Amino acid sequence: MASLSYVLSHSSHLLSPQTAPPVEFSPKPILYSHSKCRQPISLFRSKLHRMALVCQRARRGSQSKKICASIADVSLEKSTENVQLPKGDVWSVHKFGGTCVGSSERISNVAEIVVNDDSERKLVVVSAMAKVTDMMYDLINKAQSRDESYVSALDAVLEKHKSTAHDLLDGDELASFLSQLHHDINNLKAMLRAIYIAGHAMESFTDFVVGHGELWSASMLSAVIRKRGLDCKWMDTREVLIVNPTSSNQVDPDFLESERRLEQWYSKNSSKIIIATGFIASTHENIPTTLKRDGSDFSAAIMGALLTSRQVTIWTDVDGVYSADPRKVKEAVVLKTLSYQEAWEMSYFGANVLHPRTIIPVMRYDIPIIIRNIFNLSAPGTMICRQPVDEESESLVSFVKGFATIDNVALVNVEGTGMAGVPGTANAIFGAVKDVGANVVMISQASSEHSVCFAVPEKEVKAVAEALKSRFRQALEAGRLSQVAVIPNCSILAAVGQRMASTPGVSATLFNALAKANINIRAIAQGCTEYNITVVVRREDCIKALRAVHSRFYLSRTTIAMGIIGPGLIGSTLLEQIKDQASVLKEDFNIDLRVMGIISSRTMLLCDEGIDLSNWQELQNERGEVADMERFVQHVHQNHFIPNTVLVDCTANPDIASNYYNWLRRGIHVITPNKRANSGPLDQYLKLRALQRQSYTHYFYEATVGAGLPIISTLRVLLETGDKILRIEGIFSGTLSYIFNNFTGDKSFSDIVSEAKQAGYTEPDPRDDLSGTDVARKVIILARESGLKLELADIPVENLVPEPLRASASAEEFMQQLPQFDADMTRKRQEAENAGEVLRYVGVVDVVNQKGFVEMQRYKDDHPFAQLSGSDNIIAFTTTRYRKQPLIVRGPGAGAQVTAGGIFSDILRLASYLGAPS
């Protein structure tokens, strides 16, 4: 103060009429005339007056003595009646933030809420209007920087409040408010001019300036309520709240002194409705100060504690406290209740909850804090209290309340054999960290004491590492410490819940969710209270990890993002089946399937929230983009809030199948009826299966053999339960099954092929079916599943396409010439019939002799293979358990419906593996 006064007193020539606007000091006290008790800030006011008078002396000279006399002569209005302050449940405390009082309309809404509260007594804490506090700080910054635009900036502050007052008030209330507003603005101009000259503002001056926003909003709101005919007083909390500044840029309330001053204030200003300023307070020396970060919330909590109110309601612009950041997890839910400890933990980790210090005052009296949305009064909000008891079930959701993250941290790992059993090592490590002023966010140490790992903000890690290397230089050179390692680009994920304590399975579920989302954990920490489990992951994995654990605890048991490749006949049928069954799966089985993308050979349709399957074809026509497989995969896998991703390949394209290995490596599950990958080169197949077994990523391909029939799964069950496969024999082609089931009587072979083609059983070119290649691929898949290391070229195939027709130019030419070769097939059929047998086209896996083949064989009329009809498939498993009577699997083996059904079955099996109920 002295330095600023010195500058002012020696710079009167600068305060000319051209550079400083006239400041009229009224004979009233410089602060609000509505207040009755001003003793707490009298010392600061006298300093402020002295500074302001120095400013005026440049313009008025001898008038200063008169002004000083007029101020000194003003006596504070004394109440003739002392009223005792009631306490307890009769009071409810409300706090309205800047957004809530950001306009005249919103101030009216606040008044409506206050009036409609049926509590016997109400104390309402208000912040400055939205952005006003920032505007006031900007005034200080401009003045300190000697930027003369502070004058116009202050005029903008004046206009904002002036126009708001005109909207809300009239008559004497409007005149009184505007008079005080202009008075304050004039005095602020004088103070800012002094700061402009000095080039510096003391903290007390800054706090005094920025606190005016709260004074004005409280004054306006109280006037609006009085306009409704209710008795209402407003409180300058600098006269009541007394705090002690601390070294950590915070303040500690002095509850005893604040309670004494509150009782004194109330004895002169009794009312059932009190509007109090938030954010501002005074020191014991009566110097104005602020409550720092989240100061208005803190004000409300302190006032609630002083009054021992029944509750404190914090009004904001969200429906309550969310289970996770809704900007990162779009399906985060509003929590009904939180304990004080849970709110502490979540706020520490950056969640949008009250600052921990806000909770401390109300905890003393078990006063609940309710977070509510002023823009959605129907939402009940979140209650923060001692011990929530309204959980409806003993589910894991009731144990884990929420998840929060801290980004941009780095791990520091100090390790070495010389650390084990050496007292004082941890003290030396964290002493060095303290010396550089770094904040340790998390600490983890194994019981072996071989290493200590801790997390610090990334911007501080360089200084920390240098300090540690300097502190332990001798130990590092001697080898007692092996390294001081920095792991950058990390994020912290915390799971919070008071009821996690002593509850088995919570940690297992958390880590399982991360593992299944292919997230690597770099460090773990958990305190003995068990309220918090903290893990460190790579920064790029943070959001995915957050979504993974939130999905596991809060969404359906299993939420899966799907990308459909190839929306042809099978793909479109699958989409229709998913659409018809989606609601049942979600409601009855907690399986939530989201199709995030559909791609064909030319176009793709992408959606961040999930495609509406009722009109996906129209959407593809309207919003379809040029197909780009890498972008498609990137979108489905990362650009949404679902941790589990599956790509469903409904094509027969070998190029797409070649991507499976890389997709699985990226943590993307793969489901397909495409036989190309499993029947391709043996080394690639073995590599693919090895990767599948080593990771939590699944690769399902039931529909590659037998469409919707459980062929692969039956074979695996037999093997996994210790049975030994001897032989697999079957009719694997629905097309060839149909042809030979109907190749009877006087019908020619070419007629049956033509009939099958017209019925849609064959490929567009029937030679693709008659060649036997498709059956050979199925045989090689089953052979490899049985443990045989065979290549497709090792499977001899009887080709039913006459050799002269294999080079036909087109399918039409082939069909025209096929009748020329009917005689041979007719002869074979007749020979079989004469022997009481039928012709069937089969594939065989001979495990005993380690071979496979595809050929046309004859079976007795009573053989199961002779009993087929239509396009049914049939497969016989001969094993050590089923040696005398093979295990038979029979059913439709072709058609879009059954093939899509087989794919859908794999999708549900994946959901079960990921945690859905069986």
Side-chain angles (χ1 to χ4, degrees), residues 127-435:
S127 299
M129 294 179 70
K131 299 182 180 179
V132 166
T133 299
D134 290 340
M135 295 170 73
M136 302 302 281
Y137 275 116
D138 186 55
L139 292 174
I140 295 289
N141 293 334
K142 280 183 165 61
Q144 288 185 129
S145 303
R146 293 186 172 137
D147 179 352
E148 293 192 356
S149 65
Y150 77 85
V151 177
S152 59
L154 183 59
D155 290 340
V157 172
L158 168 64
E159 185 56 36
K160 182 179 181 72
H161 291 85
K162 184 177 178 181
S163 62
T164 303
H166 277 285
D167 291 341
L168 293 170
L169 307 175
D170 52 30
D172 291 342
E173 291 283 7
L174 175 61
S176 175
F177 177 81
L178 292 179
S179 174
Q180 191 61 51
L181 176 65
H182 283 284
H183 182 79
D184 293 339
I185 293 294
N186 284 336
N187 286 322
L188 286 174
K189 282 183 179 178
M191 174 174 280
L192 292 168
R193 184 61 185 175
I195 293 171
Y196 176 91
I197 295 171
H200 171 71
M202 295 175 62
E203 182 179 358
S204 58
F205 287 178
T206 299
D207 289 345
F208 178 76
V209 170
V210 299
H212 277 75
E214 279 72 17
L215 296 171
W216 295 326
S217 61
S219 177
M220 277 193 288
L221 178 59
S222 64
V224 171
I225 294 175
R226 285 195 299 272
K227 186 178 176 181
R228 294 170 179 250
L230 298 175
D231 178 38
C232 178
K233 301 288 176 61
W234 77 271
M235 174 195 296
D236 179 353
T237 49
R238 293 177 299 187
E239 300 174 359
V240 171
L241 296 187
I242 303 302
V243 297
N244 297 310
T246 69
S247 59
S248 56
N249 195 32
Q250 293 186 358
V251 293
D252 292 331
D254 184 333
F255 284 96
L256 289 177
E257 179 62 17
S258 297
E259 183 177 22
R260 185 187 70 79
R261 295 201 183 192
L262 176 61
E263 291 173 350
Q264 182 182 6
W265 184 94
Y266 188 84
S267 70
K268 300 176 177 64
N269 301 275
S270 63
S271 176
K272 290 188 175 182
I273 303 177
I274 298 172
I275 311 299
T277 57
F279 184 56
I280 55 178
S282 292
T283 67
H284 279 279
E285 293 74 26
N286 299 320
I287 304 299
T289 186
T290 66
L291 299 182
K292 315 305 176 187
R293 178 185 171 190
D294 296 317
S296 292
D297 290 347
F298 199 18
S299 296
I302 297 170
M303 297 306 298
L306 293 175
L307 296 170
T308 59
S309 63
R310 64 182 179 88
Q311 68 181 39
V312 175
T313 303
I314 307 293
W315 293 89
T316 181
D317 56 358
V318 293
D319 286 345
V321 179
Y322 283 84
S323 54
D325 187 341
R327 295 167 299 182
K328 298 177 180 178
V329 181
K330 295 184 180 179
E331 293 200 354
V333 299
V334 176
L335 302 173
K336 293 182 180 179
T337 59
L338 276 176
S339 70
Y340 296 128
Q341 290 82 1
E342 288 167 340
W344 271 347
E345 295 282 357
M346 290 186 69
S347 63
Y348 176 77
F349 283 93
N352 189 21
V353 192
L354 298 175
H355 192 280
R357 64 182 182 149
T358 302
I359 301 169
I360 295 173
V362 297
M363 278 186 65
R364 299 170 61 186
Y365 303 100
D366 285 347
I367 300 171
I369 299 177
I370 301 174
I371 312 295
R372 293 196 62 188
N373 189 350
I374 192 172
F375 305 114
N376 183 16
L377 299 181
S378 62
T382 300
M383 176 180 288
I384 300 173
C385 52
R386 172 70 61 182
Q387 177 63 56
V389 293
D390 65 341
E391 279 83 0
E392 297 177 356
S393 69
E394 294 296 310
S395 66
L396 287 176
V397 171
S398 66
F399 298 132
V400 179
K401 281 298 185 67
F403 303 91
T405 58
I406 300 177
D407 294 321
N408 302 318
V409 300
L411 282 178
V412 179
N413 187 45
V414 182
E415 66 177 53
T417 56
M419 293 174 57
V422 179
T425 302
N427 180 61
I429 290 172
F430 295 110
V433 175
K434 178 186 176 183
D435 290 343

Side-chain angles (χ1 to χ4, degrees), residues 661 664 678 683-694 699 701 712 716 781 784-785:
Y661 184 82
L664 291 170
N678 285 9
D683 60 337
Q684 295 183 19
Y685 166 79
L686 294 175
K687 184 180 178 183
L688 191 62
R689 290 303 308 279
L691 175 63
Q692 176 193 5
R693 294 188 183 100
Q694 293 167 4
Y699 171 42
Y701 42 87
I712 301 292
R716 285 191 174 179
I781 290 172
R784 290 172 174 177
E785 290 289 318

Side-chain angles (χ1 to χ4, degrees), residues 52-68:
L53 289 174
V54 170
C55 297
Q56 290 291 15
R57 192 172 295 120
R59 288 185 40 79
R60 300 195 176 185
S62 60
Q63 289 185 358
S64 59
K65 295 181 180 179
K66 179 179 178 181
I67 295 174
C68 290

Side-chain angles (χ1 to χ4, degrees), residues 551-565:
S551 173
R552 181 61 184 83
F553 284 93
Y554 269 98
L555 301 184
S556 64
R557 289 283 303 272
T558 307
T559 305
I560 303 176
M562 302 174 59
I564 306 297
I565 304 171

